[in-house]
Amino acid sequence: MTSSPAATRPSATAGSRSTTTHCPYCSLQCGMRLERVGRTLNVAEWPEFPVNEGAMCRKGRTATGLRGHRERLTTPLIRDAETGEFRAAEWDEALDLVAARIAALQAESGADSIGIFGGGGLTNEKAYALGKFARAVLRTSQIDYNGRWCMSSAAAAANKAFGVDRGLPFPLVDIETAEVVVLVGSNMAETMPPAARHLDRLRAGGGKLVVVDPRRTPTAERADLVLQPVPGTDMALALGVLHHLVATGAVDEAYVAERASGFEDVRRSVAAWWPERVERVTGVPATDVRALADLLAAHPRSMVLTARGAEQHAQGTDTVLAWINVALALGLPGRRGAGWGCLTGQGNGQGGREHGQKADQLPGYRSIDDPAARAHVAGVWGVDPDTIPGKGRSAYELLDALGTPGGPRALLVFGSNIVVSAPRATHVTDRLASLDLLVVADMVLSETAAMADVVLPVTQWAEETGTMTNLEGRVILRQRAVTPPAGVRSDLDVIAGLGERLGSTVELPTDPETVFAELGRASAGGLADYSGITYDRIRDEHGVFWPCSATPDDAVPHPGTPYLFEESFATQDGRARCLTVEYRGPAEVPDADYPLHLTTGRVLAQYQSGAQTRRIKDLPDAGPFVEMHPLVAARLGVDDGSLVTLSTRRGEMRAPAKVVPTIREDTVFVPFHWAGVNRLTNDALDPSSRMPEFKVCAAALRVGGHR
């Protein structure tokens, strides 16, 4: 890896009533200003921030809509054992109760009787503190987070191929300098609208856009070539593209000989994937498979960007590896304006796993099984390395084990709405109900909080300071703009309060800048090294790209690393790994009883489980729908808006039909922002990433039903 100086721009001027910060939603982390006008908090543009240059989507512009909301939680809630109803409580009572129950359960059933479930929207400071609390205070191995359901398959693939996982190994703006961009499973125009301007500028400059998606989305409407494969067959498409590149002599032989290993095995493995076979598997015409391969071969500055559509599968890791093989065969990684990257989804999906809330990782993206990593982190924490537990269960496996013999008897949830977002959600809800103790820290009474024994009201983004790491690996700073409502505490305060009540001597600071400095020390020397980053540098430079290591006081500070792989990869020998993959197809395929493919995704006005966006009156909330092709609707005899029942082997839901000609005839689509569709999705897991197969399962439709 090589370092290149990050562009340094003057810091935005903030008046006494104006604060520069970032959007609370997706991984772009768009820069914005929050302006106080009397008691009103308004969103304004911050054009100097380079990621969005002042542009924002509807969600960002209405992000202050929860301020003063009637559903905002401002006091702890405890469920009354006799009535089953919530009652308001003081903070001391709530924290005393939680700590006492934790201590009793661990005394009875051991350290792993307590589980922690975090979120990809938590700041780096919170994610770090949560991992430290779990391992150094509770000494439980049972911690993971909902980012496991975000880009974990891409992360696993990148680690295998490149030795490091960072969503984009180059700045997002480089899309504009590419000649060809291939989006595999991304609907950028709706999921991160401010980024779509890069696609427009790409095309305005003569570049080509290719979109791979079973639906012809608003992003696909911008494209020069649209491929609509059967859900779950993206890997077969990549194998066919690489087959054609090999067959036509388009492989960059000098690059793969110098900078990669294993390509000969990969070359042999794709010999049987001729385009006509790919057409039979994917439904994509063989002519389009060849056209995509020829387009990539003709343009040395090409990018392949994968997203959840390709990754949320039981073969998601191998699917990403197949596309990485395409990029390596063409010599793209490490070349400016080219390469492979992953479009992260959640606001801190990247940083959230780098610093300790993922089951197998310690701060700095270190493996929890590495003795040297354990010793380094233990030294920062002031504990014996032998007391740090080993690898725990992944997110879904953790939830599946709740309340079972040998599984956690209590779960503490921070920043996640599991009841809506988990696959096979009815089963997961049953597991939550079986717990001896469920504690949820949230700002509103989400569907998961509504099940809790104790609910702890915590700050929202505008009321706290902390860092996030966006999809580029740029560490940015959210700054507190307003005082939290009376009765609300930060997650850092909650964690410290529990640690104190549990009698721990481990320091758990509550000042976010102090926590960040400690995070830097804990990450020093790791792949995700933040030790050279400070709040002041972030303010001055509009974000700093990791890795950025600390330097002696009299040395020139490390500039940060916006570009990875220009000289070498983060493997032991500096070479990328080309890895053979074998296509198996989705874990569940249609049959006579369930003849359709069900896929899921996001819509423009909502975000994730909708716990925040569904409560903002300026965002349209028409509820879920079942998108289907007119031929499917005709067979059922339904019109647009008619009520239909969608079922899988795990359950059913009812919603209005949305009849469109832009989806495959064998596929239906449902957005996941409302409780419903994830009761139907498959919990089959990727063997490497442990990612559930959210994006495809077998489904059936019938007319009618009651909502």
Side-chain angles (χ1 to χ4, degrees):
M1 295 186 289
T2 58
S3 300
S4 298
T8 302
R9 298 173 175 85
S11 181
T13 301
S16 60
R17 303 178 70 83
S18 177
T19 304
T20 54
T21 189
H22 298 268
C23 178
Y25 298 119
C26 84
S27 64
L28 284 182
Q29 286 300 287
C30 290
M32 62 169 61
R33 296 185 195 276
L34 294 180
E35 296 183 344
R36 291 289 303 274
V37 181
R39 306 179 85 180
T40 302
L41 187 64
N42 295 326
V43 174
E45 294 180 357
W46 179 18
E48 295 85 1
F49 186 68
V51 175
N52 61 307
E53 299 173 336
M56 282 178 280
C57 72
R58 182 185 300 179
K59 293 188 290 292
R61 292 190 181 279
T62 60
T64 59
L66 278 181
R67 179 171 163 76
H69 195 281
R70 60 183 176 82
E71 293 187 56
R72 181 71 192 279
L73 297 175
T74 57
T75 185
L77 302 175
I78 295 176
R79 191 176 299 281
D80 188 283
E82 293 185 3
T83 67
E85 300 296 322
F86 282 125
R87 63 173 177 82
E90 297 296 325
W91 270 99
D92 282 343
E93 180 189 7
L95 293 177
D96 287 348
L97 172 62
V98 173
R101 296 288 298 277
I102 288 173
L105 288 170
Q106 288 193 314
E108 183 178 334
S109 301
D112 280 357
S113 63
I114 311 300
I116 292 181
F117 200 92
L122 299 179
T123 63
N124 290 315
E125 292 81 358
K126 294 179 186 178
Y128 171 80
L130 207 54
K132 180 181 180 181
F133 174 71
R135 296 181 174 108
V137 178
L138 298 180
R139 297 186 179 178
T140 178
S141 67
Q142 301 301 293
I143 176 172
D144 211 275
Y145 82 128
N146 63 15
R148 178 77 69 169
W149 303 335
C150 179
M151 63 173 285
S152 62
S153 290
N159 278 321
K160 289 182 177 186
F162 304 131
V164 66
D165 151 40
R166 198 178 84 183
L168 294 181
F170 42 75
L172 182 68
V173 71
D174 279 22
I175 287 175
E176 299 175 13
T177 67
E179 296 170 301
V180 175
V181 170
V182 182
L183 297 180
V184 187
S186 168
N187 181 13
M188 186 184 285
E190 289 193 287
T191 59
M192 46 180 66
R197 77 189 191 285
H198 296 304
L199 304 179
D200 295 335
R201 292 173 182 171
L202 163 80
R203 299 191 69 217
K208 303 294 183 183
L209 175 64
V210 180
V211 170
V212 179
D213 196 313
R215 305 166 62 225
R216 193 174 184 96
T217 64
T219 306
E221 293 303 321
R222 289 172 152 89
D224 300 280
L225 177 63
V226 179
L227 282 60
Q228 292 184 262
V230 173
T233 64
D234 300 279
M235 185 200 300
L237 177 60
L239 296 174
V241 169
L242 185 51
H243 170 99
H244 188 69
L245 293 173
V246 170
T248 56
V251 174
D252 187 335
E253 301 289 355
Y255 179 96
V256 297
E258 179 184 353
R259 300 208 57 193
S261 62
F263 187 72
E264 290 311 310
D265 289 338
V266 170
R267 192 197 303 267
R268 287 189 290 270
S269 73
V270 299
W273 283 97
W274 55 93
E276 284 73 19
R277 181 188 178 192
V278 174
E279 179 175 347
R280 291 196 295 271
V281 173
T282 67
V284 174
T287 52
D288 285 348
V289 177
R290 292 187 174 95
L292 172 55
D294 290 340
L295 188 65
L296 290 169
H299 296 90
R301 292 199 318 278
S302 293
M303 287 182 184
V304 178
L305 305 178
T306 62
R308 304 304 80 71
E311 298 161 9
Q312 287 182 322
H313 295 274
Q315 273 199 286
T317 301
D318 285 353
T319 297
V320 175
L321 284 171
W323 286 104
I324 288 176
N325 285 339
V326 170
L328 288 170
L330 292 167
L332 305 179
R335 181 183 299 162
R336 294 285 178 105
W340 169 85
C342 165
L343 297 169
T344 316
Q346 293 191 83
N348 204 28
Q350 181 72 54
R353 69 180 173 281
E354 292 169 359
H355 300 298
Q357 66 171 338
K358 191 163 173 274
D360 55 353
Q361 287 179 192
L362 290 172
Y365 220 124
R366 289 179 162 92
S367 169
I368 201 166
D369 295 328
D370 178 3
R374 295 168 63 86
H376 174 84
V377 173
V380 175
W381 290 350
V383 301
D384 184 335
D386 291 339
T387 64
I388 297 177
K391 180 180 176 181
R393 295 178 173 94
S394 71
Y396 182 78
E397 290 165 308
L398 171 59
L399 299 177
D400 188 42
L402 297 177
T404 65
R409 296 176 59 187
L411 186 70
L412 280 60
V413 181
F414 292 80
S416 186
N417 188 9
I418 299 165
V419 168
V420 176
S421 62
R424 198 183 168 199
T426 300
H427 170 71
V428 169
T429 301
D430 290 342
R431 298 269 40 87
L432 291 170
S434 73
L435 288 167
D436 292 278
L437 175 68
L438 175 61
V439 180
V440 176
D442 209 330
M443 67 184 76
V444 295
L445 197 66
S446 68
E447 288 83 352
T448 306
M451 293 185 63
D453 299 291
V454 181
V455 182
L456 303 174
V458 291
T459 49
Q460 63 161 307
W461 112 105
E463 301 160 356
E464 60 187 14
T465 293
T467 61
M468 307 285 278
T469 306
N470 80 347
L471 77 170
E472 310 164 297
R474 184 195 301 259
V475 184
I476 54 93
L477 181 63
R478 289 181 177 177
Q479 301 193 101
R480 174 169 161 165
V482 292
T483 303
V488 171
R489 296 187 182 182
S490 79
D491 302 77
L492 294 177
D493 288 317
V494 171
I495 292 167
L498 290 174
E500 179 183 0
R501 286 165 173 80
L502 289 166
S504 173
T505 59
V506 174
E507 291 187 12
L508 294 169
T510 58
D511 172 64
E513 191 165 6
T514 301
V515 177
F516 186 76
E518 182 183 312
L519 179 161
R521 295 192 298 275
S523 71
L527 286 170
D529 189 337
Y530 283 33
S531 62
I533 306 176
T534 64
Y535 278 23
D536 285 340
R537 279 198 64 179
I538 296 172
R539 292 186 184 101
D540 291 343
E541 300 174 30
H542 294 164
V544 181
F545 291 86
W546 70 259
C548 180
S549 58
T551 57
D553 291 340
D554 58 348
V556 176
H558 190 291
T561 315
Y563 292 95
L564 303 179
F565 314 144
E566 290 191 306
E567 294 180 2
S568 65
F569 296 95
T571 57
Q572 190 170 4
D573 61 3
R575 296 161 67 92
R577 305 287 186 258
C578 299
L579 299 167
T580 59
V581 293
E582 181 181 350
Y583 175 76
R584 296 189 301 274
E588 184 178 270
V589 296
D591 57 20
D593 294 326
Y594 298 95
L596 296 166
H597 301 277
L598 166 63
T599 192
T600 67
R602 286 166 52 185
V603 296
L604 179 62
Q606 298 296 324
Y607 181 71
Q608 301 301 83
S609 73
Q612 296 177 66
T613 50
R614 285 187 278 116
R615 288 174 166 84
I616 293 177
K617 62 180 179 60
D618 292 326
L619 293 175
D621 179 7
F625 54 84
V626 181
E627 184 176 287
M628 66 188 72
H629 193 275
L631 291 178
V632 175
R635 287 197 297 269
L636 284 174
V638 302
D639 298 318
D640 190 72
S642 298
L643 196 63
V644 297
T645 297
L646 176 67
S647 61
T648 71
R649 290 178 174 86
R650 289 153 295 280
E652 64 180 33
M653 66 172 289
R654 286 162 288 278
K658 183 176 182 179
V659 183
V660 297
T662 50
I663 190 170
R664 287 184 57 91
E665 298 169 16
D666 56 5
T667 301
V668 294
F669 166 84
V670 181
F672 55 57
H673 310 292
W674 298 266
V677 71
N678 275 328
R679 297 172 186 160
L680 281 59
T681 48
N682 196 351
D683 57 354
L685 301 180
D686 181 290
S688 295
S689 67
R690 315 310 289 166
M691 168 77 84
E693 190 151 72
F694 285 102
K695 280 296 183 283
V696 61
C697 63
L701 276 174
R702 68 176 187 269
V703 180
H706 300 286
R707 296 186 69 179

